[in-house]
Structure formats: structure tokens, C-alpha cells
Amino acid sequence: MKKFNIYLIMAILVISGNSFAQQTPAAKQSEPITIVGATAHLGNGEIIENSLIILEDGKIAEVIAKSLTKRQYPGKIINAEGKHVYPGIIAPNSTLGLVEIAAVKATQDEDEMGEMLPNIRSLIAYNAESKIVESMRPNGVLLGQIVPRGGRISGTSSIVQFDAWNWEDAVVKENDGLHINWPDSYQRGRWWRGEDPDLKANKEYQEDVQELSDFFISAKAYLEGKRDYKNLPYLAMETVFSGDKKVFVHVDGEKEILDVVQFKKEHGLKNVVIVGGYYALDVAETLKNNDIPVLVTRPHSTPEEDYEDYDYPYKLANLLNEKGVLVAIEGSGQMERMNSRNLPFYAGTVAAYGMDKEEALKLVTLNTAKILGIDEHYGSLEKGKSATLFISEGDALDMRGNILSHAFIDGREVSLETHQTELWKRYSKKYKDQESE
């Protein structure tokens, strides 16, 4: 009887595992694909009406106006007249694949114990089978920067594509950036511990900044010394000092951002990115002059202070862009993993509050690719770049038009089916059947 129960449990687990598994990743592109007649939004601010796009060997072989050629269309032909083609949308500063169910601790793998953890790599914890990751593709979100959380130095992120068997298959750029949570110069008391919830100066701010600075100094001294013992955190800093690994500093305040700029100079850091940057507008000139881009916190947020414009979060990206700062949109915050699929609509909101729509598209495509250092291959529809793109029935930055018919990652046509689309079809049929009765 016991043996029967064991077999029964195993069978249930196998069936459950299969029912919750992601769609099988697409096979490598085996023939040319020609997309004919769509309006192509190149992601660099340009549009080609009635376009001709040819995908070969996982790359874009051609993207031109259809009228400029009389050549025979090679391979599989997709008639996309009346539709729109966009480069794949990129989700920066994301924890997709690191947490499946926030309320279940066993599914959380975004944080490690400790404060200075540059050697912690998010990539090896990335779950390519995540059902949340799968749900990004139907909205055109095809790539993401997977970022660890917690500590003063959280660890090292990597960039992945969202149709893979495992993290090895998924990786697009390994160990792209170091992530630092900059201390706050002002803090609110923890009301749940009986502390005064009002904003007050953080007396330990300078000490916290100095501790971070000391770590950088010690790491540099170790790397320049004999290295007669193995120190994994210090070794992970080598690519930071060389500039091969970018430094993403999660910070919002005006004073703190200025301190980050000074920190960059003191430690000779080549590639620094501000993440969040809620008050970056106040120091936009400094950021521009020091070539520091900003991953702006998601526009679908409420203002932090009573005196701010109600639409300040909606227009912040545009205001920074007008100041000459390279800007893209990130989506961290409450329910960030599920809300990552809304990235195109975040860009649409920025467009609704003053930015040209093609410029707004860059906030989730080419600008993001530039900031992450993958623009040579991703972020725009250009000859020679990766064939990572999607076809939408309408305007992809508007939830009414963002209805995908096809999506490609490196030329592979990926599935747009998810657990959510299956439920939608099931219940749509249920209520249609009831109406017909």
C-alpha cells in the first residue's frame, strides 16, 4: 500500500510539473522569413511605412521600404499589411525568474545574506521555466536584465532572452553590471516598531558611504597586490575597475545622486548608471556632463510629495530626455515581476504626457539596449542586428492595440501561448457557450 501511495504521489508530481511547465522553446531559425507590408517602428525614432523585413540566420538581413525593391521574397512570407513591427522590448532592473510566488519563501531567490556581495551572480538562479517570464512575451517583452536585490552591494546582473531551456541557453550578456543600493541621507522611522514616521536626517549616512568607499579601496589594493589568498568579492570587482562591468547605483535623492557622481570620480569608475532617479531632474545637467544615464522608475506611480505635480512620474522621463540625459524606463516596485509586461504601456504613458511616440518607444528598446551595453545586437530594427522583434495588430504602446500575432527571438518564432492565454480561451468559450444556450 505504501509503495502504491509513493507511485501515486510521483505520478501527481509529474503531471503537475508538466501542466505548469513553460512552452517548449522555439527551434533555431531554419529558413528565411520575410515580413511584408507592415509599418516598421525601427526603435531609433524612425518609421518605415509599407516595409519589407527579411530575417535570415537569426539576424535582420534587410529592413527597407517595400517600394525600393522588386526582388523575390525569400522563405516563409508573413503578410503584415495594416500591422506594425517593433524591436523586442527590454526589461532592465528586473527580478523575473528569481521569484515565482512572493508569498512562498521557497520560490524566492533574489537576495543573499550579507552586505558587500559583488561576487553573487543572479544568472545561475534564473529560472527559465518561470510562468511569469512566459507571460512577458505576449506583450512584446522579449529580453530582460536579471538583477539581485538586498545588501549594500547586491551582486552582479546578467541579461537574458525570454525563450530558453535553462539559464545557459537564455544568457545574452553575462555579468553585465554590479548593483549598489546607495544609502539614504534622510529616512522615515519604522512605525511598526513604534518609531516616529516623520522624515529625519540619517545620522549614519556618511558612515555608510565611507564603508562603501573603503570596500572599493580595499578591493583595488587587493587586485593590485600579490593576491596571495582568494577573496571572491574583491576578485569580482576587477571587471568593475576595468570598465567591462557597469555600475548600477539604485538611488533617488538629489544629494545622494551628487554623491554618486563624486564617488564615480574618486574611484575612477567608467560606466555608472542611475537606477530610480526620482529627483534626477534637479541634477540633470551634472548627469549629462558626466555621461551618466538614468533608468527611470516606472511612470505608473504616484508622486512622492504633496507639493509635486500629480503627473510628475508620467513626465519625468521626457523632462530628463529634454535635458540631454540618456533615459530608459525600469519597472521595479510593487508587483514588479507581473507588471514588467506593462513596459510598453509605461512608454505609452510618457508619450501621452509630452514625448514623441517614436522617442517614447526608445525608452524601452534602443535606449535600454545602449544603457545595458547590448545595442550592437538588440534594441532596434537594423540590418545585421538580431532578429528579435514582434508584429502587433496595432499600436504596441497602447494596450488596445498591443495584440501580437508573431514574435521572434534571434530569428526563432516563439510561442505566444501562456497559462494566462489558456485560461482566457477556456473561460471565453465557457461564456460564449452560455450565451448561445
Side-chain angles (χ1 to χ4, degrees):
M1 186 65 182
K2 285 184 179 180
K3 184 177 286 189
F4 173 80
N5 289 339
I6 291 172
Y7 287 145
L8 179 62
I9 291 169
M10 289 176 66
I12 291 171
L13 288 173
V14 169
I15 293 169
S16 299
N18 289 336
S19 67
F20 283 96
Q22 194 185 46
Q23 294 289 325
T24 300
K28 185 177 180 180
Q29 184 181 1
S30 59
E31 65 172 335
I33 298 170
T34 303
I35 303 170
V36 183
T39 298
H41 303 261
L42 303 189
N44 60 6
E46 299 177 16
I47 298 177
I48 298 178
E49 302 282 355
N50 195 20
S51 66
L52 177 71
I53 302 173
I54 302 174
L55 317 181
E56 290 182 350
D57 299 322
K59 296 187 181 298
I60 298 173
E62 201 73 80
V63 52
I64 57 175
K66 181 181 171 185
S67 59
L68 295 180
T69 182
K70 299 296 183 183
R71 65 178 288 189
Q72 186 175 3
Y73 304 150
K76 177 183 176 182
I77 298 171
I78 298 175
N79 182 355
E81 290 183 12
K83 297 181 181 180
H84 300 257
V85 179
Y86 295 87
I89 289 167
I90 307 167
N93 186 34
S94 168
T95 54
L96 284 163
L98 299 183
V99 178
E100 194 68 7
I101 304 171
V104 180
K105 192 170 183 178
T107 72
Q108 300 175 24
D109 209 358
E110 63 178 348
D111 191 3
E112 293 287 343
M113 294 179 65
E115 287 297 306
M116 305 296 184
L117 303 169
N119 55 308
I120 295 300
R121 301 167 64 233
S122 63
L123 181 60
I124 58 173
Y126 174 71
N127 176 20
E129 290 279 357
S130 168
K131 296 176 74 62
I132 306 173
V133 169
E134 180 183 72
S135 72
M136 299 297 113
R137 297 196 302 258
N139 278 15
V141 182
L142 305 179
L143 299 164
Q145 180 195 39
I146 309 306
V147 177
R149 298 282 191 248
R152 182 63 65 211
I153 299 179
S154 303
T156 298
S157 61
S158 291
I159 301 165
V160 301
Q161 51 85 4
F162 291 153
D163 182 64
W165 290 99
N166 48 48
W167 65 263
E168 291 98 332
D169 292 339
V171 65
V172 167
K173 186 175 183 180
E174 190 170 355
N175 302 335
D176 74 292
L178 182 78
H179 291 261
I180 298 174
N181 295 307
W182 196 263
D184 294 320
S185 61
Y186 282 83
Q187 292 181 328
R188 294 189 184 277
R190 295 165 292 187
W191 58 266
W192 60 92
R193 290 192 176 183
E195 298 173 355
D196 182 0
D198 290 339
L199 198 64
K200 59 180 73 67
N202 176 12
K203 296 178 182 179
E204 298 176 354
Y205 175 71
Q206 291 301 333
E207 182 182 332
D208 291 339
V209 173
Q210 188 59 51
E211 183 181 13
L212 186 59
S213 184
D214 290 344
F215 179 85
F216 272 68
I217 292 169
S218 297
K220 198 165 204 176
Y222 170 85
L223 294 168
E224 291 174 351
K226 295 180 179 179
R227 306 190 192 187
D228 48 3
Y229 65 98
K230 183 172 284 189
N231 187 308
L232 293 179
Y234 290 168
L235 286 170
M237 296 293 290
E238 188 164 20
T239 48
V240 171
F241 294 123
S242 69
D244 295 327
K245 189 184 293 182
K246 298 197 175 191
V247 179
F248 293 85
V249 185
H250 299 242
V251 60
D252 285 311
E254 177 184 352
K255 171 180 170 46
E256 289 88 337
I257 293 173
L258 290 175
D259 287 343
V260 170
V261 175
Q262 184 61 32
F263 188 89
K264 174 182 184 288
K265 294 176 180 177
E266 288 177 358
H267 295 283
L269 303 178
K270 297 177 182 178
N271 297 307
V272 171
V273 178
I274 298 298
V275 181
Y278 189 82
Y279 294 106
L281 187 62
D282 298 327
V283 291
E285 194 68 26
T286 301
L287 292 173
K288 178 186 174 184
N289 292 340
N290 286 276
D291 195 26
I292 299 177
V294 180
L295 289 173
V296 177
T297 191
R298 65 189 187 198
H300 291 183
S301 305
T302 54
E304 293 286 338
E305 304 295 342
D306 293 341
Y307 59 80
E308 293 171 348
D309 293 344
Y310 77 92
D311 55 0
Y312 177 74
Y314 303 157
K315 60 189 182 183
L316 176 57
N318 186 36
L319 294 173
L320 284 169
N321 180 68
E322 289 176 344
K323 294 284 187 180
V325 178
L326 178 61
V327 184
I329 297 174
E330 60 101 7
S332 63
Q334 190 174 24
M335 295 183 68
E336 64 181 66
R337 287 168 293 280
M338 299 75 169
N339 283 325
S340 294
R341 73 193 69 165
N342 291 329
L343 271 167
F345 312 139
Y346 295 161
T349 296
V350 176
Y353 282 81
M355 182 177 269
D356 174 79
K357 183 154 280 189
E358 297 307 312
E359 285 296 309
L361 175 62
K362 290 164 68 174
L363 299 177
V364 291
T365 55
L366 187 56
N367 283 11
T368 309
K370 286 179 178 178
I371 291 172
L372 300 185
I374 58 171
D375 54 301
E376 183 180 349
H377 302 291
Y378 298 93
S380 59
L381 303 179
E382 297 180 58
K383 185 175 180 178
K385 284 194 173 184
S386 168
T388 298
L389 51 92
F390 63 91
I391 304 173
S392 176
E393 299 286 343
D395 180 358
L397 305 192
D398 187 326
M399 63 181 65
R400 296 168 296 183
N402 186 299
I403 304 170
L404 271 62
S405 60
H406 302 78
F408 302 88
I409 295 177
D410 297 326
R412 300 177 297 111
E413 185 170 0
V414 301
S415 171
L416 297 174
E417 290 296 324
T418 73
H419 182 60
Q420 294 176 345
T421 60
E422 290 173 1
L423 289 176
W424 170 67
K425 289 176 182 178
R426 182 192 305 173
Y427 285 98
S428 293
K429 182 178 185 304
K430 175 182 186 296
Y431 290 109
K432 283 179 182 176
D433 290 346
Q434 285 183 350
E435 289 175 2
S436 63
E437 290 177 358

